[in-house]
Amino acid sequence: MVDVVNNNLVLLFVAMASGVLSLVCLGFVFVLLKKAQQSHIKHNKLHAHIQDTENQTAILRSEIAEVRSGLLSIGQRLIACENYAKDLAQQQAAQKYDDPDARIYSRAVKMVELGADIEEVMRECELPRAEAELLMSLHNKS
């Protein structure tokens, strides 16, 4: 009878141990499922964030391309303006030396800068007294 009681106790112990082991295993499965669900949620959030970042990157690339083409256009226009300004300066310089009156006044200004008196400027440049006085007055102010 003691053997039967011992066998029953052993069976009861084995049954209880297997029940506890089953509960522990179910607990592990539950924890693992919860972790898997959380990982899936994180994965979905990261995927959405990556999609948003890719969309923003595409928009920024498009905007950079627009800015780049605008800058190229502005650069070309700036070069054209610089060339136009150079041409105008050359034309102006050529006209300055083509005009005989301009040469006379340039010479008169140079003489005034070098310290010539009014009589000398009038005589050398064949200018009337009023113009010579005006040149002297302008030079003395600057």
Side-chain angles (χ1 to χ4, degrees):
M1 173 101 165
V2 175
D3 283 338
V4 173
V5 172
N6 282 340
N7 284 341
N8 283 340
L9 284 176
V10 170
L11 285 175
L12 182 65
F13 179 73
V14 169
M16 286 177 61
S18 67
V20 169
L21 189 59
S22 296
L23 287 175
V24 170
C25 287
L26 281 175
F28 279 130
V29 167
F30 179 74
V31 168
L32 288 175
L33 286 175
K34 197 70 166 165
K35 294 264 185 193
Q37 185 180 21
Q38 289 173 348
S39 294
H40 186 65
I41 291 170
K42 283 183 182 180
H43 171 74
N44 287 342
K45 286 182 181 179
L46 286 174
H47 185 57
H49 183 69
I50 288 171
Q51 286 294 100
D52 186 45
T53 303
E54 286 175 353
N55 291 340
Q56 289 176 354
T57 302
I59 290 169
L60 290 174
R61 283 186 178 153
S62 172
E63 289 176 359
I64 287 172
E66 288 177 27
V67 169
R68 183 181 295 145
S69 68
L71 286 174
L72 288 174
S73 174
I74 290 171
Q76 290 170 348
R77 289 173 50 193
L78 180 63
I79 289 171
C81 287
E82 287 175 344
N83 290 336
Y84 182 72
K86 285 179 186 176
D87 290 343
L88 285 178
Q90 288 174 350
Q91 289 174 5
Q92 187 179 17
Q95 286 177 351
K96 180 179 175 183
Y97 294 112
D98 288 344
D99 185 12
D101 290 336
R103 275 189 264 158
I104 290 172
Y105 288 112
S106 295
R107 184 173 176 215
V109 169
K110 192 70 162 173
M111 288 177 67
V112 170
E113 288 174 354
L114 292 173
D117 64 356
I118 195 163
E119 298 297 328
E120 187 178 2
V121 172
M122 288 172 44
R123 185 178 60 250
E124 291 294 322
C125 298
E126 298 177 2
L127 293 176
R129 177 172 286 282
E131 289 181 13
E133 287 175 352
L134 180 62
L135 280 175
M136 296 290 277
S137 160
L138 289 173
H139 180 69
N140 291 335
K141 284 186 181 178
S142 58

